Amino acid sequence: MLYATSKRFLEVFGLASLEDLPTLRELEELLPASPAAEASPEVPGDDGGAREEEELEEEDDDGANQDNNSENSGSHDDDEPRPWVICLHGFGMGIPAADLVGFRAVHMHKELGYNVVMPVLPLHGPRKVTPLGGEAFISFDLLNGVIGMANAVWDVRRLLSWVHSQDPVAVGMYGVSLGGYTTALSAGLVGALDFVLAGIPVVDLLALFRSHAPRHVMRRAEEYGIFSAATDEVLAVTRPTTFPVRIPRDRRYLYAGIGDRMAMPDQAHALWR
């Protein structure tokens, strides 16, 4: 059986050729080895190298674990002092195989010399509560987006606390799409970062809904007052442009995709301004 790819696939994932993809051995090093390994995650120790996926779970009042009441992350690190980068995935991702390729994690670790940690954003990957990861972020119940982003920043703060306990040379954050939104928001709320890179970020969910919603959905949204001043005021509490940036200007980086039809360039322009 022969397998092939397209030039478009390589462009989307920023690859020069299929040789840039991680090998099966590298994937085995980075991913949990088996369901049994996931059931007993390895606690970060002093032996360095690839670490198992960690999961911190909370219980509800009935003692039952809920899918999103957990924080999942995978990391690849060494004992030697290195800078760290926290990679925040985009909407619908949070799947190790996709995130490893999308962020070129092996390249960042082996060639650029970074320790890489990739948390799963709320309502994505193993934390999803709908068939499509992240679907609850974009719905008529806009408070889902507010709660989801607040949850994401809380996760980032917890993760940063752990990373700083590893005596890093420096710590940065790189997010794409929804991860770019979280990165930009964290730059104003968290601090404690040496650099931030927001890729094709979304910064205004209401403007995103307005630009993408079909006509019949727009009519329904207007009927229920979704696009009101009150809604805008509520969403402002998790809008990156609401808060002054706590990262020095020469350590902030931003890029947009001219042809991106989801996180359109005007979103990145709003953040840049």
PDB file of all heavy atoms in Angstrom, residues 19-36:
ATOM      1  N   GLU A  19       9.572  14.405   5.864  1.00  0.00           N
ATOM      2  CA  GLU A  19      10.672  14.093   6.770  1.00  0.00           C
ATOM      3  C   GLU A  19      10.619  14.932   8.045  1.00  0.00           C
ATOM      4  O   GLU A  19      11.246  14.597   9.051  1.00  0.00           O
ATOM      5  CB  GLU A  19      12.020  14.292   6.067  1.00  0.00           C
ATOM      6  CG  GLU A  19      12.246  13.299   4.922  1.00  0.00           C
ATOM      7  CD  GLU A  19      13.572  13.543   4.228  1.00  0.00           C
ATOM      8  OE1 GLU A  19      14.279  14.503   4.609  1.00  0.00           O
ATOM      9  OE2 GLU A  19      13.897  12.774   3.306  1.00  0.00           O
ATOM     10  N   ASP A  20       9.873  16.055   8.001  1.00  0.00           N
ATOM     11  CA  ASP A  20       9.733  16.902   9.190  1.00  0.00           C
ATOM     12  C   ASP A  20       8.768  16.322  10.211  1.00  0.00           C
ATOM     13  O   ASP A  20       8.710  16.791  11.346  1.00  0.00           O
ATOM     14  CB  ASP A  20       9.255  18.306   8.796  1.00  0.00           C
ATOM     15  CG  ASP A  20      10.324  19.079   8.046  1.00  0.00           C
ATOM     16  OD1 ASP A  20      11.507  18.732   8.195  1.00  0.00           O
ATOM     17  OD2 ASP A  20       9.970  20.025   7.317  1.00  0.00           O
ATOM     18  N   LEU A  21       7.971  15.304   9.811  1.00  0.00           N
ATOM     19  CA  LEU A  21       7.043  14.680  10.749  1.00  0.00           C
ATOM     20  C   LEU A  21       7.819  13.854  11.773  1.00  0.00           C
ATOM     21  O   LEU A  21       8.882  13.310  11.464  1.00  0.00           O
ATOM     22  CB  LEU A  21       6.074  13.754   9.997  1.00  0.00           C
ATOM     23  CG  LEU A  21       5.026  14.439   9.117  1.00  0.00           C
ATOM     24  CD1 LEU A  21       4.337  13.404   8.237  1.00  0.00           C
ATOM     25  CD2 LEU A  21       4.006  15.162   9.972  1.00  0.00           C
ATOM     26  N   PRO A  22       7.324  13.780  13.014  1.00  0.00           N
ATOM     27  CA  PRO A  22       8.009  12.940  13.996  1.00  0.00           C
ATOM     28  C   PRO A  22       7.966  11.477  13.577  1.00  0.00           C
ATOM     29  O   PRO A  22       6.993  11.020  12.967  1.00  0.00           O
ATOM     30  CB  PRO A  22       7.209  13.179  15.289  1.00  0.00           C
ATOM     31  CG  PRO A  22       5.909  13.748  14.850  1.00  0.00           C
ATOM     32  CD  PRO A  22       6.149  14.462  13.565  1.00  0.00           C
ATOM     33  N   THR A  23       9.008  10.746  13.898  1.00  0.00           N
ATOM     34  CA  THR A  23       9.050   9.320  13.590  1.00  0.00           C
ATOM     35  C   THR A  23       8.161   8.554  14.569  1.00  0.00           C
ATOM     36  O   THR A  23       7.747   9.089  15.601  1.00  0.00           O
ATOM     37  CB  THR A  23      10.485   8.781  13.694  1.00  0.00           C
ATOM     38  OG1 THR A  23      10.920   8.894  15.063  1.00  0.00           O
ATOM     39  CG2 THR A  23      11.429   9.568  12.802  1.00  0.00           C
ATOM     40  N   LEU A  24       7.877   7.293  14.248  1.00  0.00           N
ATOM     41  CA  LEU A  24       7.068   6.483  15.143  1.00  0.00           C
ATOM     42  C   LEU A  24       7.733   6.334  16.502  1.00  0.00           C
ATOM     43  O   LEU A  24       7.070   6.366  17.540  1.00  0.00           O
ATOM     44  CB  LEU A  24       6.845   5.092  14.525  1.00  0.00           C
ATOM     45  CG  LEU A  24       5.885   5.029  13.328  1.00  0.00           C
ATOM     46  CD1 LEU A  24       5.828   3.608  12.779  1.00  0.00           C
ATOM     47  CD2 LEU A  24       4.489   5.494  13.736  1.00  0.00           C
ATOM     48  N   ARG A  25       9.050   6.208  16.510  1.00  0.00           N
ATOM     49  CA  ARG A  25       9.758   6.083  17.785  1.00  0.00           C
ATOM     50  C   ARG A  25       9.612   7.356  18.607  1.00  0.00           C
ATOM     51  O   ARG A  25       9.403   7.305  19.822  1.00  0.00           O
ATOM     52  CB  ARG A  25      11.229   5.772  17.541  1.00  0.00           C
ATOM     53  CG  ARG A  25      12.065   5.745  18.832  1.00  0.00           C
ATOM     54  CD  ARG A  25      13.437   5.183  18.607  1.00  0.00           C
ATOM     55  NE  ARG A  25      13.366   3.756  18.252  1.00  0.00           N
ATOM     56  CZ  ARG A  25      14.446   2.995  18.044  1.00  0.00           C
ATOM     57  NH1 ARG A  25      15.648   3.522  18.138  1.00  0.00           N
ATOM     58  NH2 ARG A  25      14.306   1.728  17.749  1.00  0.00           N
ATOM     59  N   GLU A  26       9.720   8.521  17.947  1.00  0.00           N
ATOM     60  CA  GLU A  26       9.579   9.793  18.662  1.00  0.00           C
ATOM     61  C   GLU A  26       8.169   9.946  19.215  1.00  0.00           C
ATOM     62  O   GLU A  26       7.979  10.442  20.328  1.00  0.00           O
ATOM     63  CB  GLU A  26       9.929  10.955  17.734  1.00  0.00           C
ATOM     64  CG  GLU A  26      11.419  11.035  17.420  1.00  0.00           C
ATOM     65  CD  GLU A  26      11.712  12.014  16.294  1.00  0.00           C
ATOM     66  OE1 GLU A  26      10.807  12.289  15.475  1.00  0.00           O
ATOM     67  OE2 GLU A  26      12.847  12.501  16.222  1.00  0.00           O
ATOM     68  N   LEU A  27       7.166   9.508  18.439  1.00  0.00           N
ATOM     69  CA  LEU A  27       5.789   9.573  18.925  1.00  0.00           C
ATOM     70  C   LEU A  27       5.595   8.651  20.121  1.00  0.00           C
ATOM     71  O   LEU A  27       4.917   9.001  21.088  1.00  0.00           O
ATOM     72  CB  LEU A  27       4.813   9.194  17.814  1.00  0.00           C
ATOM     73  CG  LEU A  27       4.590  10.238  16.718  1.00  0.00           C
ATOM     74  CD1 LEU A  27       3.747   9.655  15.592  1.00  0.00           C
ATOM     75  CD2 LEU A  27       3.930  11.482  17.281  1.00  0.00           C
ATOM     76  N   GLU A  28       6.189   7.470  20.069  1.00  0.00           N
ATOM     77  CA  GLU A  28       6.074   6.544  21.192  1.00  0.00           C
ATOM     78  C   GLU A  28       6.711   7.118  22.457  1.00  0.00           C
ATOM     79  O   GLU A  28       6.248   6.886  23.573  1.00  0.00           O
ATOM     80  CB  GLU A  28       6.736   5.212  20.835  1.00  0.00           C
ATOM     81  CG  GLU A  28       5.946   4.408  19.808  1.00  0.00           C
ATOM     82  CD  GLU A  28       6.709   3.182  19.322  1.00  0.00           C
ATOM     83  OE1 GLU A  28       7.893   3.037  19.713  1.00  0.00           O
ATOM     84  OE2 GLU A  28       6.140   2.394  18.557  1.00  0.00           O
ATOM     85  N   GLU A  29       7.799   7.892  22.289  1.00  0.00           N
ATOM     86  CA  GLU A  29       8.457   8.505  23.440  1.00  0.00           C
ATOM     87  C   GLU A  29       7.606   9.600  24.056  1.00  0.00           C
ATOM     88  O   GLU A  29       7.615   9.822  25.265  1.00  0.00           O
ATOM     89  CB  GLU A  29       9.803   9.100  23.027  1.00  0.00           C
ATOM     90  CG  GLU A  29      10.856   8.058  22.648  1.00  0.00           C
ATOM     91  CD  GLU A  29      12.128   8.708  22.144  1.00  0.00           C
ATOM     92  OE1 GLU A  29      12.125   9.951  21.966  1.00  0.00           O
ATOM     93  OE2 GLU A  29      13.117   7.987  21.930  1.00  0.00           O
ATOM     94  N   LEU A  30       6.839  10.302  23.192  1.00  0.00           N
ATOM     95  CA  LEU A  30       6.086  11.465  23.654  1.00  0.00           C
ATOM     96  C   LEU A  30       4.690  11.126  24.142  1.00  0.00           C
ATOM     97  O   LEU A  30       4.114  11.843  24.953  1.00  0.00           O
ATOM     98  CB  LEU A  30       5.975  12.506  22.529  1.00  0.00           C
ATOM     99  CG  LEU A  30       7.286  13.213  22.180  1.00  0.00           C
ATOM    100  CD1 LEU A  30       7.139  13.939  20.853  1.00  0.00           C
ATOM    101  CD2 LEU A  30       7.663  14.190  23.268  1.00  0.00           C
ATOM    102  N   LEU A  31       4.116  10.012  23.652  1.00  0.00           N
ATOM    103  CA  LEU A  31       2.731   9.672  23.986  1.00  0.00           C
ATOM    104  C   LEU A  31       2.693   8.574  25.042  1.00  0.00           C
ATOM    105  O   LEU A  31       3.634   7.790  25.170  1.00  0.00           O
ATOM    106  CB  LEU A  31       1.986   9.186  22.732  1.00  0.00           C
ATOM    107  CG  LEU A  31       1.853  10.208  21.608  1.00  0.00           C
ATOM    108  CD1 LEU A  31       1.177   9.552  20.412  1.00  0.00           C
ATOM    109  CD2 LEU A  31       1.060  11.415  22.072  1.00  0.00           C
ATOM    110  N   PRO A  32       1.599   8.524  25.814  1.00  0.00           N
ATOM    111  CA  PRO A  32       1.454   7.423  26.780  1.00  0.00           C
ATOM    112  C   PRO A  32       1.576   6.082  26.080  1.00  0.00           C
ATOM    113  O   PRO A  32       1.027   5.881  25.004  1.00  0.00           O
ATOM    114  CB  PRO A  32       0.046   7.637  27.346  1.00  0.00           C
ATOM    115  CG  PRO A  32      -0.225   9.099  27.134  1.00  0.00           C
ATOM    116  CD  PRO A  32       0.485   9.452  25.859  1.00  0.00           C
ATOM    117  N   ALA A  33       2.273   5.147  26.701  1.00  0.00           N
ATOM    118  CA  ALA A  33       2.569   3.871  26.051  1.00  0.00           C
ATOM    119  C   ALA A  33       1.346   2.984  25.930  1.00  0.00           C
ATOM    120  O   ALA A  33       1.206   2.231  24.986  1.00  0.00           O
ATOM    121  CB  ALA A  33       3.667   3.145  26.820  1.00  0.00           C
ATOM    122  N   SER A  34       0.420   3.065  26.892  1.00  0.00           N
ATOM    123  CA  SER A  34      -0.731   2.161  26.890  1.00  0.00           C
ATOM    124  C   SER A  34      -1.791   2.708  27.817  1.00  0.00           C
ATOM    125  O   SER A  34      -1.537   3.591  28.620  1.00  0.00           O
ATOM    126  CB  SER A  34      -0.300   0.769  27.366  1.00  0.00           C
ATOM    127  OG  SER A  34       0.093   0.833  28.731  1.00  0.00           O
ATOM    128  N   PRO A  35      -3.027   2.152  27.743  1.00  0.00           N
ATOM    129  CA  PRO A  35      -4.063   2.564  28.695  1.00  0.00           C
ATOM    130  C   PRO A  35      -3.632   2.362  30.130  1.00  0.00           C
ATOM    131  O   PRO A  35      -3.986   3.125  31.013  1.00  0.00           O
ATOM    132  CB  PRO A  35      -5.252   1.661  28.315  1.00  0.00           C
ATOM    133  CG  PRO A  35      -5.040   1.326  26.873  1.00  0.00           C
ATOM    134  CD  PRO A  35      -3.546   1.224  26.715  1.00  0.00           C
ATOM    135  N   ALA A  36      -2.840   1.326  30.389  1.00  0.00           N
ATOM    136  CA  ALA A  36      -2.382   1.083  31.754  1.00  0.00           C
ATOM    137  C   ALA A  36      -1.479   2.202  32.219  1.00  0.00           C
ATOM    138  O   ALA A  36      -1.510   2.623  33.367  1.00  0.00           O
ATOM    139  CB  ALA A  36      -1.641  -0.256  31.812  1.00  0.00           C
TER     140      ALA A  36
END
